[in-house]
Amino acid sequence: MKKLVRSAFLFAGLAGTFAPLAQAAGPHVHGVGALNLAVDGTGVFIELHSPAADVFGFEHAPRTAGQREQVAAAMVRLADGAALFRAPAEAGCELREAAPVSPFEDESGHGHDHGHHHEEHGHDHGGHEAHADVSATYGFACAAAPAWVEVGLFEAFPGMQRLDVQFITASGQGKAVLERGASRLDLP
């Protein structure tokens, strides 16, 4: 629990650093997600934001048993941070925390559609449904800071086409774009 609290404080502190860049990312665009990555000593912290359609195949609250199963299966894949993010073996990174958040769950874990998790963007989506986003945070403990991170989100979620990445390491900060077939983030 203490590690989770420390990570939450670290993310809260980094949020101020990432906020101007995240706001510049623009509107909700299907196929395009955002990934923030911070290396703090031997800790690697990752924050993912993605349109729900890219993760679940739809962005409305699940209406059928099949859609509820799709959401549950996607949430299991999102929780497997060790499969989604890989670093060089010599870095010795181990997943310590994974916290995916579905826009369709309330605090009791029962699915329903939260209006406050959705955002209207003023364009027609065939029924005027609100957009929904999925988020997740991950914390890794490493023996050494990794030189790179391979992102496996494109294989796990075929709807993801591009990730706009912001990163911070002891050597600096920067931005990158990862795409299907080019999913390795080299770190300074």
Side-chain angles (χ1 to χ4, degrees), residues 66 146 175 180:
K175 296 196 282 186
R180 190 172 299 282

Side-chain angles (χ1 to χ4, degrees), residues 84-172:
L84 297 175
F85 304 100
R86 296 173 298 280
E90 59 271 13
C93 296
E94 292 184 24
L95 180 68
R96 297 290 187 206
E97 302 166 23
V101 178
S102 168
F104 310 129
E105 291 183 0
D106 61 19
E107 283 144 26
S108 67
H110 297 93
H112 73 278
D113 192 357
H114 281 274
H116 65 271
H117 283 282
H118 301 245
E119 205 174 309
E120 288 293 340
H121 290 278
H123 56 274
D124 187 2
H125 247 320
H128 300 282
E129 291 204 21
H131 294 290
D133 293 315
V134 174
S135 63
T137 56
Y138 304 90
F140 293 84
C142 303
W148 52 264
V149 173
E150 180 71 31
V151 178
L153 290 162
F154 301 108
E155 293 80 28
F157 303 103
M160 287 190 185
Q161 300 300 314
R162 184 179 93 204
L163 287 169
D164 294 332
V165 181
Q166 303 171 92
F167 59 87
I168 298 173
T169 71
S171 299

